[in-house]
């Protein structure tokens, strides 16, 4: 493996883990920065990654993790520290002076936002501000803006529960349309950029599934994939928040973000399609039906 294209990935799961699997297949060396030494870190080492302990919000640990690194992937779980981490990354990377690519995992909602818009969640606002920081830094940045993930609990664990209980998908989306994208497709885009970043520097890639569907059409895709009738049940947003979201015992920041996602779906803010996945990778994004069919046992229990 060639040391000069060493990639730093924060965290040990999510999109970053899938990016690693794709880079490993291309013999691109990866260093993970994780917050704790645990079994996931040990597994990454067994798979051939270098692992260091650090925290995106601590400049000294990030500076140590960046030694020898020329490409970095920036992403965090939904967190009120997102903007702090982005600012630390931008400032430390500027001093580092060795990055030829910083790939930022943002959100597609940013594409619809302005400096003063207020309809979005606090998390979405943090992504918008983080993009500004990275752009102001003059670093070689590529912004990746996926829409809602197909792998999101809204379309996986919550849907599986109600499908098994009564053959329904119960969400507060009203007549809104959506075009969720699979984590695997997002990771393919990120890995493609990290392998050969030069043609992509300064670009913004918006990622969606192949088409935008209303919830009846989404239920029909589940029906075809599972071989079992699935119908959509529209739940009032307030009731869904009280009966489903509140019982999930999520941190307040995450709970409010998901609640706003529900409202924005109601307002049809997720009715969007983009060609970013195919434009970057040459392969069309996975459909809802294909995604669900590959996980049939999970959805049917």
């Amino acid at each position: 493996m060639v040391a000069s294209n060493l990639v730093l990935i924060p965290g040990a799961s999510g999109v970053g883990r899938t990016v690693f699997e794709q880079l490993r297949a291309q013999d691109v060396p990866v260093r993970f920065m994780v917050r704790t030494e645990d079994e996931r870190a040990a597994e990454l080492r067994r798979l051939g990654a270098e692992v260091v302990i650090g925290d995106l919000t601590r400049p000294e640990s990030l500076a140590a993790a960046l030694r020898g690194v020329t490409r970095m992937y920036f992403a965090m779980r939904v967190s009120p520290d997102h903007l702090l981490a982005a600012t630390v990354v931008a400032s430390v990377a500027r001093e580092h002076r060795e990055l030829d690519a910083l790939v930022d995992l943002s959100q597609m909602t940013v594409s619809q936002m302005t400096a003063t818009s207020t309809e979005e969640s606090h998390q979405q606002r943090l992504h918008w501000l983080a993009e500004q920081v990275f752009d102001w830094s003059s670093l070689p940045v590529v912004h990746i803006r996926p829409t809602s993930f197909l792998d999101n609990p809204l379309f996986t664990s919550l849907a599986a529960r109600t499908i098994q209980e009564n053959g329904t998908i119960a969400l507060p989306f009203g007549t809104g349309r959506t075009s969720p994208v699979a984590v695997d497709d997002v990771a393919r885009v990120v890995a493609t950029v990290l392998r050969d970043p030069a043609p992509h520097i300064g670009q913004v890639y918006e990622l969606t599934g192949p088409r935008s569907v209303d919830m009846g059409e989404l239920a029909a895709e589940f029906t075809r994939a599972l071989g079992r009738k699935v119908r959509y049940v529209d739940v009032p947003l307030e009731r869904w928040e009280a009966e489903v979201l509140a019982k999930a015992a999520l941190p307040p920041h995450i709970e409010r973000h998901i609640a706003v996602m529900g409202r924005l779906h109601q307002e049809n803010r997720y009715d969007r399609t983009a060609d970013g996945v195919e434009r970057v990778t040459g392969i069309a994004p996975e459909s809802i039906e294909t995604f669900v069919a590959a996980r049939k046992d999970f959805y049917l229990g």
Side-chain angles (χ1 to χ4, degrees):
M1 291 191 293
V2 182
S4 63
N5 60 349
L6 180 61
V7 175
L8 179 65
I9 297 177
S13 59
V15 175
R17 172 59 185 268
T18 310
V19 169
F20 163 61
E21 292 168 358
Q22 301 200 19
L23 292 177
R24 180 179 56 164
Q26 299 292 322
D27 287 333
V28 176
V30 171
R31 174 184 295 161
F32 278 93
M33 184 175 71
V34 301
R35 299 185 71 168
T36 58
E37 186 67 67
D38 56 17
E39 176 53 35
R40 290 185 304 170
E43 181 186 7
L44 291 171
R45 289 193 181 94
R46 288 195 294 271
L47 292 172
E50 181 185 351
V51 180
V52 297
I53 306 302
D55 186 332
L56 284 174
T57 66
R58 293 175 49 214
E60 70 282 4
S61 68
L62 177 61
L66 278 172
R67 291 187 188 119
V69 167
T70 56
R71 301 168 192 176
M72 180 176 178
Y73 166 64
F74 173 76
M76 291 184 75
R77 291 179 178 273
V78 176
S79 168
D81 286 336
H82 186 93
L83 179 58
L84 170 60
T87 306
V88 169
V89 168
S91 59
V92 174
R94 276 172 59 89
E95 285 194 3
H96 178 63
R97 296 177 181 273
E98 294 182 19
L99 288 188
D100 55 31
L102 174 60
V103 181
D104 166 42
L105 187 68
S106 186
Q107 291 192 8
M108 195 168 171
T109 307
V110 169
S111 307
Q112 304 169 329
M113 295 171 67
T114 69
T116 57
S117 60
T118 58
E119 298 86 3
E120 300 83 14
S121 74
H122 183 51
Q123 178 68 30
Q124 289 160 338
R125 173 57 50 186
L126 295 179
H127 277 277
W128 191 92
L129 291 168
E131 285 201 18
Q132 310 310 304
V133 169
F134 286 138
D135 290 343
W136 295 335
S137 73
S138 299
L139 290 165
V141 178
V142 182
H143 296 298
I144 310 294
R145 295 179 180 168
T147 189
S148 179
F149 288 130
L150 257 175
D151 311 62
N152 187 297
L154 295 172
F155 304 113
T156 54
S157 56
L158 290 179
R161 188 182 73 190
T162 52
I163 287 170
Q164 292 167 27
E165 288 175 353
N166 51 36
T168 67
I169 296 173
L171 288 169
F173 290 0
T175 59
R177 305 179 72 87
T178 191
S179 54
V181 64
V183 161
D184 284 353
D185 287 325
V186 176
R188 282 194 299 111
V189 171
V190 173
T192 299
V193 173
L194 286 169
R195 279 196 298 268
D196 182 20
H200 306 284
I201 300 304
Q203 297 298 309
V204 176
Y205 294 117
E206 298 179 345
L207 313 182
T208 71
R211 68 190 189 102
S212 183
V213 298
D214 64 27
M215 294 306 290
E217 292 169 318
L218 181 139
E221 295 213 29
F222 270 77
T223 294
R224 290 192 295 270
L226 299 178
R228 172 186 175 179
K229 178 63 177 176
V230 177
R231 62 188 178 88
Y232 173 60
V233 174
D234 188 42
V235 183
L237 181 58
E238 296 77 10
R239 196 179 96 198
W240 185 78
E241 289 186 45
E243 296 180 359
V244 178
L245 198 52
K247 293 179 180 178
L250 298 169
H253 177 80
I254 297 177
E255 181 177 321
R256 291 312 308 158
H257 173 58
I258 296 174
V260 171
M261 285 181 64
R263 176 173 56 78
L264 294 180
H265 268 94
Q266 275 190 350
E267 297 170 359
N268 213 31
R269 287 277 296 274
Y270 283 84
D271 181 13
R272 52 210 187 184
T273 55
D275 65 353
V277 173
E278 188 165 9
R279 186 149 54 99
V280 175
T281 69
I283 301 172
E286 189 172 22
S287 70
I288 297 167
E289 182 178 349
T290 302
F291 178 90
V292 174
R295 297 158 178 80
K296 187 172 182 178
D297 291 344
F298 168 80
Y299 284 103
L300 295 181

